[in-house]
Amino acid sequence: MLRRDFIKALSAATAFAATGSLPLNSIAQSAQAQETKPPNIVFIMADDLGYGDIACFGNPIVKTPNIDKLALTGQCLTQHYSAGPVCMPSRVALLTGKYPYRSGSRMTKESRPPSLKVTSFPKLLSDAGYTNKAVGKWHAGNFPSGLKTIGFDDYAICAPGGWCDFWEYNIHKPSGKKPSKGYYSTDMITDESVKFIQENRDKPFFLYTAYTAPHFPLQARPEDLEEFKDIEGIAEGTAIVYAMIKRMDQGIGQIVQKLKDENLFDNTLIVFTSDNGPNFGSYKGLDQKRYNANLAESKSHVAEGGIKVPTIVHWPRSLKPVSQTYPHMMHLVDWFPTLLSIAGVQTQGKYDIDGTCYLSQLLENKENTGIKRYWSYNKTRPSNKSNCAMRQGPWKLYRPSIKEFNSWNTPADFPLPDRIPEYRLYRIDTDPCEKNDLSARFPERRNQMIKDFEGWYDKVIEEHNSYNK
């Protein structure tokens, strides 16, 4: 059962969504005003941050005290999944609540943005009276009127596409773009986020803070690198990655402190997550391999190491979970209905989405039984013969990548090779590192999941193609 304080907050939010005006005539910075104000939402997404890249998820070297504090007083989601093993699919899925192909979007050699026919949750928040801002990395498509098209009132974007230099880039705003002039991008993202909180403290807001760290190029502030550069056994590239994470953690601490200073912290839902697993590829000769909880593979692969990401939920006023850890599966598409429900916007039966609201599950630490989740990603072109997966309860069906299909250097018309990887079957609850293929022991389950996955794939590709005729 939902807690009384949550019901009270949700009732106020629902009234706001219905009337377009707040229950009180004025929202002063007082305890009474914050009690009736719909909750603020701060969604923080890191870039290429792996499951093992922060201290509270087991990293033995990097220190992330500000993220860890959120975990200690919030909830760690230990089976949270991105929507894809690379940037764009996950970011599109967050906005639309749909699997990437179902929005018409895909990130391949012919990268395609989501269709404007698809509903985005920031637009629904805006319609409910929220003020919205996107800061940092975008990489979810271009729109005719900028990000206002899908519900963002303001934005400060340093990486419209996949990445940007951390020192030299353009800051894209509704008023135009201007050069960064050496403004370290992590600091810019933090400062813009803090400024937005300051300017909108008297009204409900949604802040999407998308850090570019620790995505390449591997560039850290010298003072942050000092802590890691002489640690025995740590490669230079890994040391830079850890320094980049340290700076991001400091920025998150500044955002949290600003929420506290403005008396907004208790009534602000904070979600911290990553778009996909860590990039272990060499960058300009720098090795960036590091601890990732012994999960199989990394970025670009739909094995656990590429799609299982660290996630923390924190909302002091209303999310008072019975356990500090949520050990059940949740997927990035689930935030669409969950965040809207928190804001008092009901989605059940209204929108064609793949996500499921997880509010009661998080509160009561219960599994959302019966949920199935799917992944399919290849750099060359869509295919169900390479790099695809399905989760159903503790079971995971997984087909490894065809090397050529997961390479940017392969032509889009490259034919399928004669040897196609076989599907594998794992029990993630007892084998989270995917070491023991159970296909021979459970052939009926494997075959049923193959049938289920391929049926899903055929439908979503048909829908995807209808957007891209």
Side-chain angles (χ1 to χ4, degrees):
M1 180 176 293
L2 296 179
R3 297 177 186 270
R4 185 177 301 173
D5 54 354
F6 171 75
I7 295 172
K8 181 178 179 181
L10 186 57
S11 297
T14 305
F16 172 76
T19 64
S21 60
L22 291 168
L24 297 181
N25 293 328
S26 172
I27 309 179
Q29 291 304 308
S30 65
Q32 184 182 13
Q34 293 305 320
E35 284 285 349
T36 57
K37 179 184 170 186
N40 306 303
I41 301 170
V42 176
F43 198 101
I44 303 171
M45 180 175 280
D47 197 2
D48 287 5
L49 185 83
Y51 189 84
D53 271 338
I54 54 179
C56 58
F57 277 76
N59 191 287
I61 295 171
V62 68
K63 296 179 178 64
T64 49
N66 295 294
I67 297 172
D68 294 351
K69 286 178 184 177
L70 292 176
L72 284 170
T73 54
Q75 210 169 22
C76 289
L77 279 57
T78 57
Q79 285 200 66
H80 186 276
Y81 289 90
S82 65
V86 294
C87 311
M88 184 175 176
S90 285
R91 294 163 195 272
V92 170
L94 169 66
L95 293 168
T96 65
K98 289 174 174 277
Y99 295 117
Y101 290 148
R102 289 201 62 226
S103 66
S105 172
R106 75 185 194 202
M107 183 182 173
T108 62
K109 299 180 85 65
E110 300 173 349
S111 188
R112 298 177 183 177
S115 169
L116 288 176
K117 297 177 183 178
V118 177
T119 303
S120 65
F121 85 82
K123 181 66 170 64
L124 299 179
L125 283 175
S126 180
D127 292 344
Y130 274 68
T131 299
N132 306 329
K133 182 169 185 174
V135 183
K137 176 169 174 173
W138 181 243
H139 205 192
N142 298 317
F143 302 99
S145 301
L147 303 193
K148 290 186 177 182
T149 305
I150 59 169
F152 286 101
D153 303 278
D154 193 11
Y155 51 87
I157 301 299
C158 58
W163 62 280
C164 69
D165 189 275
F166 276 74
W167 300 102
E168 301 298 331
Y169 54 90
N170 287 317
I171 305 173
H172 299 259
K173 294 189 174 186
S175 58
K177 66 180 181 180
K178 63 179 183 179
S180 62
K181 298 181 180 179
Y183 191 2
Y184 191 65
S185 65
T186 299
D187 296 340
M188 185 279 292
I189 293 167
T190 296
D191 292 345
E192 286 284 342
S193 298
V194 168
K195 179 183 175 184
F196 175 74
I197 293 169
Q198 168 74 29
E199 293 175 345
N200 295 276
R201 59 185 180 273
D202 294 336
K203 48 194 171 184
F205 60 76
F206 167 59
L207 172 62
Y208 173 47
T209 298
Y211 282 103
T212 51
H215 194 289
F216 73 78
L218 303 186
Q219 297 171 333
R221 294 185 66 106
E223 62 266 36
D224 297 325
L225 186 57
E226 281 296 320
E227 180 179 341
F228 305 102
K229 68 180 184 179
D230 295 325
I231 297 177
E232 185 177 352
I234 299 297
E236 181 182 356
T238 304
I240 297 172
V241 167
Y242 285 165
M244 294 164 74
I245 294 171
K246 176 183 178 180
R247 195 71 179 187
M248 178 178 64
D249 178 77
Q250 291 173 348
I252 292 170
Q254 290 176 248
I255 292 171
V256 167
Q257 187 59 52
K258 188 60 179 175
L259 290 169
K260 291 179 177 179
D261 291 345
E262 300 297 340
N263 195 30
L264 301 173
F265 185 63
D266 284 354
N267 197 32
T268 297
L269 172 79
I270 300 174
V271 180
F272 171 80
T273 190
S274 177
D275 58 350
N276 48 254
N279 185 356
F280 282 170
S282 175
Y283 174 75
K284 293 187 176 181
L286 295 173
D287 181 6
Q288 51 182 321
K289 290 183 180 179
R290 54 198 187 272
Y291 174 76
N292 196 31
N294 299 315
L295 299 178
E297 299 289 358
S298 55
K299 179 179 178 178
S300 296
H301 301 273
V302 297
E304 294 290 281
I307 57 174
K308 185 177 178 180
V309 291
T311 303
I312 297 165
V313 183
H314 189 276
W315 185 15
R317 173 147 297 157
S318 296
L319 185 61
K320 299 175 181 177
V322 297
S323 173
Q324 197 175 334
T325 299
Y326 184 74
H328 309 294
M329 179 176 64
M330 186 175 177
H331 189 281
L332 201 59
V333 295
D334 298 317
W335 287 110
F336 181 113
T338 302
L339 295 180
L340 286 170
S341 292
I342 286 167
V345 181
Q346 299 307 310
T347 60
Q348 188 171 3
K350 291 186 176 183
Y351 304 101
D352 179 20
I353 59 174
D354 296 304
T356 301
C357 182
Y358 264 71
L359 262 183
S360 62
Q361 280 76 20
L362 292 171
L363 282 166
E364 300 170 18
N365 205 35
K366 290 184 178 179
E367 182 178 8
N368 209 335
T369 56
I371 296 296
K372 301 174 183 178
R373 291 289 175 247
Y374 306 88
W375 295 265
S376 177
Y377 172 74
N378 290 280
K379 292 184 175 74
T380 299
R381 66 177 185 270
S383 174
N384 64 352
K385 306 301 182 186
S386 168
N387 206 27
C388 49
M390 172 187 172
R391 270 290 304 265
Q392 181 178 12
W395 296 95
K396 181 176 178 181
L397 183 75
Y398 168 62
R399 175 172 257 173
S401 297
I402 297 171
K403 183 178 179 180
E404 294 84 357
F405 269 54
N406 213 356
S407 169
W408 293 117
N409 298 321
T410 302
D413 60 354
F414 186 83
L416 283 167
D418 293 334
R419 296 186 65 182
I420 305 298
E422 294 289 337
Y423 284 106
R424 303 173 186 176
L425 183 68
Y426 298 105
R427 281 277 307 223
I428 296 301
D429 57 342
T430 57
D431 182 23
C433 299
E434 296 170 295
K435 295 183 180 296
N436 302 305
D437 182 6
L438 301 175
S439 297
R441 289 181 57 190
F442 299 96
E444 292 184 5
R445 178 172 289 277
R446 174 181 179 271
N447 292 338
Q448 181 57 48
M449 291 183 72
I450 291 173
K451 181 180 178 181
D452 192 329
F453 171 80
E454 295 190 345
W456 168 85
Y457 180 86
D458 290 343
K459 288 180 180 179
V460 298
I461 289 300
E462 182 179 356
E463 186 174 359
H464 172 271
N465 292 339
S466 72
Y467 286 122
N468 294 286
K469 291 180 179 179

